[in-house]
Amino acid sequence: MAGAVIINNELLDTGDLPGCEIGHMVIEKDGLECNCGKRGCFEKYASMKAFKNNLRKALGYDETFSGKELLALIKNTNKEDNNYRIIQKVKKEFIENLALGISNLVNIFEPEAIGIGGSFVYFEEVLLNDLKEELLTKNLLFNPRKEINIQTAVLGNEAGIIGSIL
Ligand SMILES: [Zn+2]
């Protein structure tokens, strides 16, 4: 989960080092171990990979159950189905973590827009509204907002980016 910050149409210059390691912002003290060597990194909780893996695990599927199949399952499961509560629980947890990390960035940069890429783009229809609602109504923002501009398609699905556009 790589990130970028764009200020006045220019990428934030972090010098010789890559910087903007948004995925490795710690959101849980002594949390899950990350492959960067730290614990509690944002991407361990709020990357699409984490979401899909958590969902597969909770539903009893292995990694051969594709993202496409997961999306279809989320869309076609209604309240009467046994899986409904499981899906809602995993989704809620994911949205809470994603919103927490994004709120940290919003509070620092007060961006005009936030861009999210990666496979979030495919899941936009089942995640984006919940993400916005979480950000706007859960007392996460230092400066409360009525609206939040989250762009998905712009960055495409290859980028794997969460960026803040100022
Ligand atoms: Zn990490």
Side-chain angles (χ1 to χ4, degrees), residues 39-162:
R39 284 185 172 276
C41 290
F42 186 34
E43 71 175 32
K44 294 301 289 182
Y45 300 85
S47 65
M48 287 304 291
K49 187 179 166 199
F51 174 59
K52 288 185 278 190
N53 283 340
N54 289 341
L55 203 50
R56 284 185 190 107
K57 211 171 143 190
L59 293 167
Y61 293 114
D62 64 15
E63 68 277 7
T64 58
F65 199 79
S66 71
K68 212 171 170 179
E69 288 171 301
L70 283 172
L71 177 61
L73 197 68
I74 297 171
K75 279 162 68 177
N76 300 323
T77 303
N78 49 42
K79 281 184 181 159
E80 292 80 47
D81 295 329
N82 289 336
N83 284 338
Y84 185 81
R85 274 197 17 230
I86 300 173
I87 293 170
Q88 293 309 308
K89 188 170 175 275
V90 173
K91 204 172 101 172
K92 184 171 179 279
E93 186 93 16
F94 170 73
I95 292 290
E96 283 173 359
N97 285 316
L98 183 58
L100 176 61
I102 290 176
S103 74
N104 287 333
L105 300 171
V106 170
N107 291 334
I108 293 167
F109 294 108
E110 291 297 344
E112 242 168 58
I114 297 153
I116 305 181
S119 60
F120 185 91
V121 172
Y122 296 118
F123 286 75
E124 175 177 348
E125 60 190 303
V126 295
L127 296 175
L128 188 57
N129 285 342
D130 289 1
L131 175 61
K132 282 187 179 179
E133 194 184 308
E134 185 77 16
L135 279 163
L136 294 173
T137 64
K138 296 291 171 66
N139 200 24
L140 292 168
L141 301 180
F142 184 82
N143 295 308
R145 292 175 178 227
K146 284 198 173 68
E147 251 311 315
I148 190 147
N149 183 358
I150 299 179
Q151 302 281 337
T152 52
V154 183
L155 294 163
N157 46 45
E158 300 299 321
I161 274 178
I162 287 188

